[in-house]
Short mmCIF file of all heavy atoms in Angstrom, two decimals:
data_model
loop_
_atom_site.label_atom_id
_atom_site.label_comp_id
_atom_site.label_asym_id
_atom_site.label_seq_id
_atom_site.Cartn_x
_atom_site.Cartn_y
_atom_site.Cartn_z
N HIS A 159 51.58 33.50 -14.70
CA HIS A 159 52.90 32.85 -14.85
C HIS A 159 53.35 32.84 -16.31
O HIS A 159 54.20 32.04 -16.69
CB HIS A 159 52.87 31.37 -14.40
CG HIS A 159 52.71 31.16 -12.93
ND1 HIS A 159 51.95 30.13 -12.43
CD2 HIS A 159 53.22 31.81 -11.87
CE1 HIS A 159 51.98 30.16 -11.11
NE2 HIS A 159 52.74 31.19 -10.75
N HIS A 187 54.45 24.84 -14.31
CA HIS A 187 55.10 25.72 -13.33
C HIS A 187 54.54 25.34 -11.95
O HIS A 187 53.42 25.70 -11.61
CB HIS A 187 54.83 27.20 -13.64
CG HIS A 187 55.48 28.12 -12.66
ND1 HIS A 187 56.60 28.87 -12.95
CD2 HIS A 187 55.19 28.38 -11.37
CE1 HIS A 187 56.96 29.56 -11.87
NE2 HIS A 187 56.11 29.29 -10.89
N LEU A 188 55.32 24.59 -11.21
CA LEU A 188 54.86 24.08 -9.92
C LEU A 188 55.64 24.74 -8.79
O LEU A 188 56.79 24.39 -8.51
CB LEU A 188 55.04 22.55 -9.88
CG LEU A 188 54.41 21.78 -11.05
CD1 LEU A 188 54.79 20.30 -10.99
CD2 LEU A 188 52.90 21.94 -11.06
N GLY A 189 55.02 25.72 -8.18
CA GLY A 189 55.66 26.42 -7.05
C GLY A 189 54.63 26.52 -5.96
O GLY A 189 53.75 25.67 -5.84
N ASN A 190 54.70 27.60 -5.20
CA ASN A 190 53.69 27.86 -4.21
C ASN A 190 52.37 28.14 -4.93
O ASN A 190 51.33 27.57 -4.63
CB ASN A 190 54.16 29.03 -3.35
CG ASN A 190 53.38 29.12 -2.09
OD1 ASN A 190 52.73 28.17 -1.68
ND2 ASN A 190 53.43 30.28 -1.48
N GLY A 191 52.46 29.01 -5.92
CA GLY A 191 51.38 29.15 -6.91
C GLY A 191 51.76 28.27 -8.08
O GLY A 191 52.94 28.19 -8.41
N LEU A 253 47.08 22.95 -0.25
CA LEU A 253 47.94 22.03 0.50
C LEU A 253 47.92 22.34 1.99
O LEU A 253 47.91 21.44 2.83
CB LEU A 253 49.38 22.10 -0.03
CG LEU A 253 49.63 21.55 -1.44
CD1 LEU A 253 51.02 21.93 -1.92
CD2 LEU A 253 49.47 20.03 -1.45
N GLY A 262 51.61 25.57 3.51
CA GLY A 262 51.54 24.48 2.52
C GLY A 262 52.86 24.21 1.83
O GLY A 262 52.89 23.86 0.65
N ASP A 263 53.97 24.36 2.55
CA ASP A 263 55.29 24.13 1.95
C ASP A 263 55.49 22.64 1.63
O ASP A 263 55.30 21.77 2.49
CB ASP A 263 56.39 24.60 2.90
CG ASP A 263 57.75 24.65 2.23
OD1 ASP A 263 58.34 23.57 2.00
OD2 ASP A 263 58.20 25.76 1.90
N MET A 264 55.87 22.37 0.39
CA MET A 264 56.00 21.00 -0.10
C MET A 264 56.99 20.17 0.73
O MET A 264 56.75 19.00 1.00
CB MET A 264 56.47 21.05 -1.56
CG MET A 264 56.33 19.78 -2.29
SD MET A 264 54.59 19.35 -2.27
CE MET A 264 54.49 18.28 -3.62
N ARG A 265 58.10 20.80 1.13
CA ARG A 265 59.12 20.05 1.89
C ARG A 265 58.55 19.52 3.20
O ARG A 265 58.71 18.35 3.54
CB ARG A 265 60.33 20.95 2.18
CG ARG A 265 61.23 21.15 0.99
CD ARG A 265 62.14 22.31 1.19
NE ARG A 265 61.39 23.58 1.14
CZ ARG A 265 61.93 24.75 0.88
NH1 ARG A 265 63.22 24.86 0.68
NH2 ARG A 265 61.19 25.83 0.82
N ASP A 266 57.87 20.40 3.92
CA ASP A 266 57.30 19.99 5.22
C ASP A 266 56.23 18.93 5.04
O ASP A 266 56.13 18.00 5.86
CB ASP A 266 56.70 21.21 5.94
CG ASP A 266 57.74 22.28 6.19
OD1 ASP A 266 58.95 21.94 6.19
OD2 ASP A 266 57.36 23.45 6.37
N GLY A 310 59.60 25.73 -11.63
CA GLY A 310 59.09 26.29 -10.36
C GLY A 310 59.77 25.57 -9.20
O GLY A 310 60.43 24.54 -9.39
N GLY A 311 59.57 26.10 -8.01
CA GLY A 311 60.25 25.56 -6.83
C GLY A 311 60.07 24.06 -6.66
O GLY A 311 61.02 23.33 -6.36
N ILE A 312 58.86 23.57 -6.85
CA ILE A 312 58.59 22.14 -6.69
C ILE A 312 59.07 21.37 -7.92
O ILE A 312 59.76 20.35 -7.80
CB ILE A 312 57.07 21.89 -6.45
CG1 ILE A 312 56.62 22.59 -5.16
CG2 ILE A 312 56.77 20.40 -6.40
CD1 ILE A 312 55.11 22.57 -4.93
N ASN A 315 62.85 21.15 -7.86
CA ASN A 315 63.56 20.61 -6.69
C ASN A 315 62.97 19.38 -6.00
O ASN A 315 63.68 18.67 -5.31
CB ASN A 315 63.67 21.70 -5.61
CG ASN A 315 64.43 22.91 -6.09
OD1 ASN A 315 65.60 22.79 -6.44
ND2 ASN A 315 63.78 24.04 -6.15
N SER A 316 61.68 19.18 -6.14
CA SER A 316 61.06 18.14 -5.33
C SER A 316 60.97 16.80 -6.07
O SER A 316 60.05 16.56 -6.86
CB SER A 316 59.66 18.58 -4.88
OG SER A 316 59.03 17.53 -4.18
N ALA A 317 61.93 15.92 -5.80
CA ALA A 317 61.96 14.59 -6.45
C ALA A 317 60.69 13.82 -6.10
O ALA A 317 60.10 13.16 -6.96
CB ALA A 317 63.20 13.83 -6.02
N ARG A 343 68.19 18.50 -9.00
CA ARG A 343 67.73 19.62 -8.16
C ARG A 343 68.25 20.94 -8.76
O ARG A 343 69.44 21.18 -8.81
CB ARG A 343 68.29 19.44 -6.75
CG ARG A 343 67.73 20.43 -5.76
CD ARG A 343 67.93 19.99 -4.34
NE ARG A 343 67.06 18.87 -3.99
CZ ARG A 343 67.04 18.30 -2.78
NH1 ARG A 343 67.84 18.70 -1.84
NH2 ARG A 343 66.19 17.31 -2.55
P1 ADP B 401 56.54 30.90 -5.47
O1 ADP B 401 55.29 30.50 -6.19
O2 ADP B 401 56.29 31.54 -4.15
O3 ADP B 401 57.55 31.61 -6.34
P2 ADP B 401 58.45 28.72 -5.56
O4 ADP B 401 58.45 28.55 -7.04
O5 ADP B 401 59.64 29.28 -4.91
O6 ADP B 401 57.16 29.51 -5.06
O7 ADP B 401 58.11 27.28 -4.93
C1 ADP B 401 57.95 27.09 -3.58
C2 ADP B 401 57.68 25.61 -3.35
O8 ADP B 401 58.82 24.86 -3.80
C3 ADP B 401 57.46 25.24 -1.90
O9 ADP B 401 56.36 24.36 -1.79
C4 ADP B 401 58.74 24.53 -1.52
O10 ADP B 401 58.53 23.53 -0.57
C5 ADP B 401 59.16 23.91 -2.83
N1 ADP B 401 60.61 23.64 -2.79
C6 ADP B 401 61.61 24.54 -2.86
N2 ADP B 401 62.82 23.93 -2.73
C7 ADP B 401 62.56 22.60 -2.56
C8 ADP B 401 63.36 21.44 -2.34
N3 ADP B 401 64.68 21.53 -2.29
N4 ADP B 401 62.71 20.27 -2.22
C9 ADP B 401 61.38 20.18 -2.28
N5 ADP B 401 60.58 21.23 -2.46
C10 ADP B 401 61.14 22.42 -2.60
#
Side-chain angles (χ1 to χ4, degrees):
H159 290 142
H187 180 106
L188 306 173
N190 196 18
L253 291 169
D263 192 285
M264 194 60 158
R265 283 164 290 202
D266 300 339
I312 298 172
N315 299 299
S316 176
R343 188 162 288 180

